[in-house]
Amino acid sequence: MLAVDGHIVPAGWKRPVVLPVAPGRHHVHVHVPYVFPRRIGKADLDVTVAPGQTLPVEYRAPLVAYLRGALGAPPQKHPGLAVTVIMLAVLLLLAFCAVGNAIVAASAEPRTALPNWTTPTGRAIPTLPTLPALPTLPARPTPPARTGEEPALRADAPARTVLGSGFAATEKTATVRFPRWPFAFRTPAGWGCLPARVDIPDAEAHICADKTNPGKRAGVLLRSCPAPCDTARTTRMTADWFSAEPSRVDNTTNVRDGVESNRYELELDHFFGPADTLTWQVGVAATAPPKDRGEVQKITNDILTQTS
């Protein structure tokens, strides 16, 4: 994503962008949209443009996701090149060692008995006594299952939709229950979820994806909204989550979606809590091919339903 003075500029990968600006000082920001973390390869640059001047600026994304990007006068190099080369060298070395160990093990002749060693005086070294066999340790008992830590679907939850539709009663779905989360939700059958890393403090995140098509995925974030969870605080937390200005659905819900670079992207956040007390922020960042947008819309609607 490219932004100049806080305004998003349409840009495509490996395509030059020519942007007319007024003479003076301007702030340029570039990052690569992702799921978790939301933005990788962040880079910022202040430039001063003289009247009639064309100022070339080049951006290079990092080769390692958690590094910053390179932004400045061309040519720029991809950050993380040295780290990538070192990692590849280590992997090649480990592969070489593994192959060498396998060759040595395969070529070694098995030895069935120790040689009959003798002392310099010709006396044979006495044979050491055989050590008694170690007792068999009892199997470690399986810890009892923790109860009350996995949420259940609310059958009485009022259905809510912000985009598209929800799951039909006849659809095959999988129920997702993260330990200690205050809600469960559904995904289409054949999806799976794993813990994920997100660049927002005090947040827990997971990413769910179609096992046969990882291009269809939805990241889900949960973090507490400290009291007083008022309008000022929720506004700041919403700004932390969205990659661009969202549309306001109601006092607790914001959403944005669209197609960029032939990918459908959907973002949502919603504040909820027991007895109408705002306690949590749930965030969804989903992407899919445009023709499959309905799947990530149904997941998002189900999360909103279960937290309303």
Side-chain angles (χ1 to χ4, degrees):
M1 190 199 77
L2 169 65
V4 177
D5 298 330
H7 300 286
I8 297 178
V9 178
W13 197 250
K14 294 186 178 180
R15 292 189 307 200
V17 177
V18 179
L19 179 66
V21 296
R25 188 177 182 85
H26 300 277
H27 180 77
V28 182
H29 170 83
V30 186
H31 70 261
V32 179
Y34 200 59
V35 179
F36 287 137
R38 300 301 316 285
R39 309 169 183 89
I40 62 175
K42 296 179 185 177
D44 294 272
L45 179 68
D46 289 322
V47 298
T48 301
V49 183
Q53 179 188 15
T54 298
L55 185 65
V57 176
E58 185 176 71
Y59 170 78
R60 293 289 185 181
L63 297 178
V64 179
Y66 298 102
L67 296 180
R68 295 188 65 85
L71 181 63
Q76 294 288 321
K77 296 181 179 180
H78 291 283
L81 179 60
V83 175
T84 304
V85 171
I86 293 173
M87 292 174 62
L88 290 174
V90 171
L91 290 175
L92 288 173
L93 179 61
L94 292 175
F96 178 78
C97 293
V99 172
N101 289 338
I103 294 174
V104 171
S107 61
E109 295 182 1
R111 192 180 297 271
T112 58
L114 291 174
N116 185 23
W117 295 97
T118 60
T119 64
T121 60
R123 295 181 57 190
I125 298 178
T127 303
L128 294 175
T130 303
L131 295 176
L134 293 175
T136 302
L137 295 176
R140 179 178 295 179
T142 303
R146 293 179 295 179
T147 59
E149 293 190 0
E150 290 190 352
L153 286 173
R154 291 171 48 208
D156 60 341
R160 290 194 60 186
T161 58
V162 287
L163 295 165
S165 62
F167 289 109
T170 57
E171 286 187 75
K172 293 183 178 181
T173 60
T175 301
V176 179
R177 300 181 177 91
F178 298 135
R180 293 173 292 278
W181 278 38
F183 68 94
F185 63 94
R186 293 176 295 171
T187 66
W191 282 54
C193 301
L194 291 171
R197 177 178 174 180
V198 64
D199 57 349
I200 295 179
D202 304 322
E204 183 177 341
H206 295 261
I207 186 166
C208 303
D210 187 334
K211 296 177 182 178
T212 60
N213 182 3
K216 296 184 290 185
R217 57 184 184 268
V220 187
L221 164 143
L222 180 72
R223 62 171 171 164
S224 61
C225 182
C229 190
D230 52 17
T231 301
R233 188 178 296 276
T234 58
T235 300
R236 290 195 299 270
M237 295 176 69
T238 294
D240 290 342
W241 176 241
F242 282 90
S243 60
E245 187 68 24
S247 299
R248 189 175 181 84
V249 178
D250 54 38
N251 292 335
T252 61
T253 310
N254 303 277
V255 68
R256 68 170 292 271
D257 77 325
V259 177
E260 298 181 13
S261 302
N262 201 32
R263 296 289 301 172
Y264 175 73
E265 296 184 358
L266 167 61
E267 296 176 327
L268 172 135
D269 83 331
H270 175 63
F271 293 87
F272 68 101
D276 297 327
T277 301
L278 300 185
T279 307
W280 304 96
Q281 178 197 33
V282 59
V284 180
T287 181
K291 65 181 181 65
D292 297 318
R293 70 181 67 190
E295 292 190 39
V296 295
Q297 289 175 345
K298 289 177 181 180
I299 295 172
T300 303
N301 290 331
D302 205 65
I303 291 173
L304 182 59
T305 295
Q306 291 296 320
T307 56
S308 295

